[in-house]
Amino acid sequence: MKRIAILGSTGSIGRSTLNIVENYPERFQVTSLAAGSNVDAAVEQAQRWKPRVLSLTSEKNAHTLRARLQSAGVSGIEIAHGAAGNVRVATHPEVDFVVSAIVGVAGLEATYEAVKAGKTVGLANKECLVAAGELITAEARRQGNPLLPIDSEHNAVHQCLRGGRMEEVERIWLTASGGPFLHTPKAKFAALTVAEALNHPTWKMGRRITIDSATLMNKGFEVIEACRLFNLPPSSVDVIVHPQSTIHSMVEFVDGSILAQFSVTDMRLPILYALTYPERVKSDLRFPVSDLRHLDFRPPDMDKFPCLRLAYEAAEAGGAKPIALNAADEVAVAAFLEGGIRFSNIPEIIENVLLETRTQKIESIGQVLETDAAARQTALRHVERRSSKPPLPHAASAIWQGE
Ligand code: MG
């Protein structure tokens, strides 16, 4: 029986994970949950899963949850809150496996502490590897525990890498759908609306990641994630636009063989893979192979999508730059979603923040958070300079987006 902690249990990855636990009751048990700020969903999850610990973002929410569980006659659940609550959820002594799915830097510390406590971690949170990848992967190596990627591309690469040894890898091919603006001329980018940018062709995802897919920044983050997870230089990680999103990614070996992974576009599959690794277990997630017709591939246009170029540069520089890249992107995307800046301002703001961030080696999570906060302030200044709206108070601090 694997005992599971979920950081971000009310978000889409969290709910998919609980769906898997539901379908494999003989394999998995829920031990602890970090549920964000959605009290209604937390009450439901507490009643359904009876975790040992349940954590919410704020003390006020934790208080409301406690009162509601008491009046519902649910007892025996430790209610925690805030960053310490996330750490408690991630490091509970009975937990074997931690699903890290809190969007934003809010999940960083808890994920790092889970790795330090010797837990096996399934990573769905991008910031863990983008902002703190060097620290977290070094600690996982020290502990001798695998970090299992839940992001579909990295999960695909992880699967393909089982076909050879690391020293036999020539390169990784990360596939990108190209987003909704693959065929939109760059001249139109300044006038793109939020609704157009939120209309992703393949995946239904959260708002920030959908905008990140439209700018290709999401793919840029994935390049950094791949470099950290698989310990490869950026020059060995290639992005290839594949509009059908059928192939989730590929690994090319030194002999010229290329292994690709494809399956239904359902996040439950990478979650199941991570939860059961190194085993594979039976599922009903079948791909209709005989329906396959066209697979198109083309190189990405880095001139049209400068976010991807900026991410490669940050990956190469390492240290403080990827942290600034992520923080600046979060602030710029939030400003775009609120209608304050144009779509084409997003890469401009990020580039300016990167230029103003000193190359610096990062040695602790505290330093990651400081660098993140400083980059957010810089980004806000650049937003305000361009914005048609008043400043965004909440974008200055890390926000919980797990619903
Ligand atoms: Mg992905």
Side-chain angles (χ1 to χ4, degrees), residues 8-27:
S9 62
T10 54
S12 102
I13 296 289
R15 281 181 279 121
S16 295
T17 304
L18 290 171
N19 181 278
I20 289 167
V21 173
E22 198 143 46
N23 286 315
Y24 298 86
E26 69 294 354
R27 286 183 169 267

Side-chain angles (χ1 to χ4, degrees), residues 22 49 63 86 93 98-99 112 119 138 150 156 162 192 207 238 251 257 298 309 314 321 347 364 373 386 399:
E22 198 143 46
W49 299 103
H63 192 76
N86 288 341
V98 177
V99 174
Y112 184 63
K119 313 293 187 193
I150 291 175
R162 294 168 84 176
L192 292 173
R207 282 157 67 87
D238 277 13
V251 173
S257 287
R298 76 182 72 174
R309 168 180 58 80
K321 298 280 189 181
S364 69
R386 289 168 175 81
I399 25 172

Side-chain angles (χ1 to χ4, degrees), residues 126 150-154 175 203 205 209 213 218-219 222 225 248 267:
K126 284 191 189 292
I150 291 175
D151 205 349
S152 62
E153 292 79 359
H154 306 82
T175 53
W203 298 92
M205 308 172 289
I209 188 173
S213 298
N218 181 55
K219 212 46 60 177
E222 291 181 355
E225 288 182 86
H248 296 150
M267 287 310 291

